[in-house]
Amino acid sequence: MKLIIVSNRLPVKAQETSQGQFTFVRSEGGLATGLGSLDSQYEQHWIGWPGVNTRKKTAKHEIEESLERMNYHPVFLSSTQYSNYYEGYSNSTMWPLCHYFFPYSQQKRKFWEAYKEVNTLFCERVLEIADEESMVWVQD
């Protein structure tokens, strides 16, 4: 069975070198650190943003190929998508609402549209990796 972890960021971040190659460094943040030490009998797969915005197909292919060896599955986002979904909707709309800072919450249609669009990309990535045997369905 597979354990599929879906997070905004992968536990590693892609960085482009001056030669145009990519290296990977550990992501900062509590989720990656906490779940990285998870002892599980399941095959673990991570889905998330690789920390870099690129439009080049060759760069995406190189990043994807390197990360697949670690069971990391990148979701590539444009700078605008990342800005509106993460910095916009997640941090400027949801965070203030969930932390009782209601007056600071920004309600912008472009934030909401980007949030839906990016969540669709994440969902599609989950479905690419999951197969019928690895899925656990909970029904009530």
Side-chain angles (χ1 to χ4, degrees):
M1 294 226 330
K2 293 179 184 174
L3 172 63
I4 299 174
I5 302 165
V6 182
S7 176
N8 171 55
R9 288 181 296 191
L10 290 170
V12 295
K13 181 170 40 176
Q15 294 181 330
E16 191 168 7
T17 67
S18 58
Q19 293 82 28
Q21 303 294 316
F22 288 91
T23 60
F24 300 92
V25 297
R26 193 116 186 98
S27 292
E28 57 280 332
L31 183 66
T33 303
L35 289 177
S37 64
L38 182 65
D39 186 25
S40 173
Q41 67 207 33
Y42 301 115
E43 180 182 313
Q44 294 182 29
H45 292 262
W46 282 74
I47 296 172
W49 180 61
V52 66
N53 304 99
T54 183
R55 293 182 185 196
K56 299 176 193 171
K57 285 185 180 183
T58 55
K60 288 180 181 181
H61 180 71
E62 180 185 337
I63 292 168
E64 195 161 55
E65 206 170 67
S66 296
L67 292 174
E68 291 282 339
R69 289 184 224 125
M70 296 179 270
N71 287 341
Y72 297 160
H73 309 277
V75 176
F76 294 101
L77 305 173
S78 70
S79 298
T80 302
Q81 284 174 314
Y82 189 81
S83 177
N84 287 329
Y85 127 83
Y86 186 70
E87 295 164 8
Y89 194 76
S90 297
N91 287 343
S92 299
T93 303
M94 293 304 296
W95 194 94
L97 289 175
C98 293
H99 293 86
Y100 304 102
F101 291 103
F102 308 117
Y104 299 104
S105 180
Q106 297 177 24
Q107 312 292 319
K108 294 186 180 180
R109 179 172 294 281
K110 69 179 182 177
F111 291 170
W112 172 240
E113 294 302 326
Y115 188 77
K116 292 189 303 183
E117 181 181 320
V118 168
N119 274 278
T120 298
L121 295 173
F122 274 77
C123 180
E124 289 169 354
R125 196 66 163 128
V126 169
L127 295 174
E128 285 174 16
I129 319 173
D131 53 42
E132 196 61 35
E133 316 170 354
S134 68
M135 299 298 286
V136 176
W137 300 99
V138 179
Q139 296 178 328
D140 52 48

